[in-house]
Amino acid sequence: MDIKAPRGTKDLLPPESTLWKEIERSVDETARLFGFEEIRTPLFESVALFKRSVGEATDIVSKEMYLLTDKGGEEMALRPELTASVVRAAIEHNLLSQQGSLSKLYYNAAPMFRYERPQKGRLRQFHQFGVELLGSPHPLADFQVIAFAYALYRNLGFVNFELRLNTLGSKDVRALWRSALVDYLSKYLSELSDESKRRLETNPIRVLDSKNQRDQEIVADAPTILDYLSDDDRQHFETVQTLLTDSGILYRIDPTLVRGLDYYNRTVFELSSSDLGSQDALCGGGRYDELVEQLGGPSTPAVGFAAGVERLVIVLEKLRGEAPKQCIDVYIVLAEKSATKSLIAVAATIKGAGFSAAYDLLDRSVKAQMREADRLGAKFVVMIGADELAEGVVTLKNMSDGSQERIAPYLLASKLQTS
Ligand code: HAM
């Protein structure tokens, strides 16, 4: 067949799908421990939502969105991220109507779409999990969101990852800093890369993000936001740092960390892994205190993060080797072809006790069934033959030590539980 999966997309196949399930369970469990509840929103939204939140000048909105006009003439976009959708849903369903109410929401393995140049760890359809904590202005909320991400990677066995932290201050402060930055960068206009020249026009703060070496040298001496912070901004940032330090979460302050989406203020952060290569961001997030109001909701401070599942998988596979294939607990070998009734009853008993069971569906010989049991990594084989039928028993074989015994089918469950 000459039709392939679209460039930048991936079919998820076993055994990798088993690893994804483990990650999803881990995210669900971390969310339960931190008291977050799941939200799911549509795969497509009105284009206006992303223009008004992520920002028209950002790469995501200006270059990377999958756009479509539906039959009713509405301009839609496949969602490139979820923060905007979560805020839209929270406003639409009045989750924020009561003063002092908090919404602690999370999403898990949710598909996102960005028309990017595909490479390792960068896809056009990728998946994110993340949290959005709406309603708290306190540094403790920033801390909780960062601690969530940290706990998750730690529990999955990550060791080589770095937390970078910065603040973008509040709106007024950022405007002052931005204009100082433009003055400074304009002096080096002829030396900047073409991309940074463009960004200087459209979104100057993003010049700090440049990977170009000369840009980075220039940026090293640029005015930093840290010199412009108000007392409140500074206090907020210092409290977040103290909370992290007190919890043993190591971080590095990186004044060049500005994030690629326009809605942030105050705390921003990224976790990155040296095991990832050039696309090294495992997750990123920060505060977005103005976004809810900007989208028409009540003034509501908020903070969140999102993480790429594919990138997490790359690191996990490096840590653990390829995902092990799923093994079956019991393979039932049918040596007496007429005994399907017993076969089905035995399979039901095994599954009823919580163990997985498989049997032949291809009318194969006993030898071929034993080979299949091996291929599936069965821990036990239950044999049903003419002798067993006559005696009303089955033969249970432990595949790890080769030992076998004949037992009554009703004892199978307790035998498996104690083996
Ligand atoms: P983001 O930094 O654009 O932030 O994406 C978050 C994470 O998604 C990245 O760190 C990366 O792991 C993964 N990711 C992004 N693009 C791709 C791609 N093309 N292929 C594979 N993985 C990718 C956001 O999306 C914000 N909504 C985060 C946030 C939530 N801020 C506050 N709340």
Side-chain angles (χ1 to χ4, degrees), residues 81 83 114 116 121 123 128 132 259 263-264 281-282 304 306 308:
E81 63 107 50
T83 310
R114 294 183 193 175
E116 298 197 79
L123 291 113
Q128 286 185 340
E132 310 295 347
R259 310 273 303 129
Y263 47 61
Y264 293 111
L282 284 168

Side-chain angles (χ1 to χ4, degrees), residues 104 138 219 362 386:
K104 292 173 67 174
H138 297 296
V219 157
L362 295 171

Side-chain angles (χ1 to χ4, degrees), residues 184-216:
Y184 170 84
L185 292 173
S186 301
K187 287 192 281 187
Y188 297 92
L189 189 61
S190 58
E191 293 173 58
L192 288 173
S193 67
D194 288 346
E195 181 62 15
S196 289
K197 279 188 189 125
R198 193 184 64 79
R199 283 184 171 165
L200 187 56
E201 290 286 314
T202 55
N203 203 359
I205 291 175
R206 293 284 329 269
V207 176
L208 300 191
D209 244 3
S210 171
K211 300 260 190 285
N212 176 287
Q213 203 189 334
R214 181 61 193 137
D215 288 352
Q216 286 181 351

Side-chain angles (χ1 to χ4, degrees), residues 60 81-83 107 114 116 121-123 126 128 131-132 259 261 263-264 281-286 288 304-308 310-311:
I60 294 176
E81 63 107 50
L82 217 64
T83 310
Y107 36 94
R114 294 183 193 175
E116 298 197 79
R122 186 158 78 186
L123 291 113
F126 60 99
Q128 286 185 340
V131 307
E132 310 295 347
R259 310 273 303 129
L261 307 93
Y263 47 61
Y264 293 111
L282 284 168
C283 76
Y288 47 97
F305 83 86
E310 286 82 358
R311 294 189 190 176

Side-chain angles (χ1 to χ4, degrees), residues 243-384:
L243 291 166
L244 291 171
T245 306
D246 289 350
S247 314
I249 298 182
L250 300 177
Y251 60 88
R252 176 168 71 83
I253 307 244
D254 179 358
T256 69
L257 177 67
V258 290
R259 310 273 303 129
L261 307 93
D262 278 357
Y263 47 61
Y264 293 111
N265 67 304
R266 290 201 166 164
T267 316
V268 285
F269 69 94
E270 274 183 17
L271 278 171
S272 49
S273 167
S274 52
D275 290 328
L276 271 175
S278 69
Q279 298 302 312
D280 68 350
L282 284 168
C283 76
R287 237 182 209 288
Y288 47 97
D289 292 334
E290 286 136 33
L291 184 59
V292 179
E293 203 171 6
Q294 206 172 302
L295 291 176
S299 169
T300 309
V303 54
F305 83 86
V309 178
E310 286 82 358
R311 294 189 190 176
L312 198 163
V313 167
I314 292 173
V315 179
L316 262 193
E317 283 183 339
K318 248 190 173 168
L319 274 177
R320 300 183 182 176
E322 197 142 293
K325 74 175 169 50
Q326 219 169 351
C327 291
I328 194 93
D329 294 320
V330 184
Y331 193 86
I332 309 165
V333 171
L334 192 63
E336 172 51 56
K337 299 282 181 197
S338 64
T340 42
K341 201 169 155 192
S342 301
L343 168 78
I344 290 167
V346 165
T349 305
I350 294 168
K351 286 184 277 191
F355 295 95
S356 55
Y359 48 79
D360 181 42
L361 301 173
L362 295 171
D363 200 20
R364 284 178 282 199
S365 67
V366 169
K367 212 167 151 194
Q369 290 182 57
M370 286 304 291
R371 267 202 307 272
E372 181 66 0
D374 266 339
R375 197 185 69 80
L376 293 174
K379 296 180 195 118
F380 293 91
V381 161
V382 166
M383 175 85 76
I384 306 174

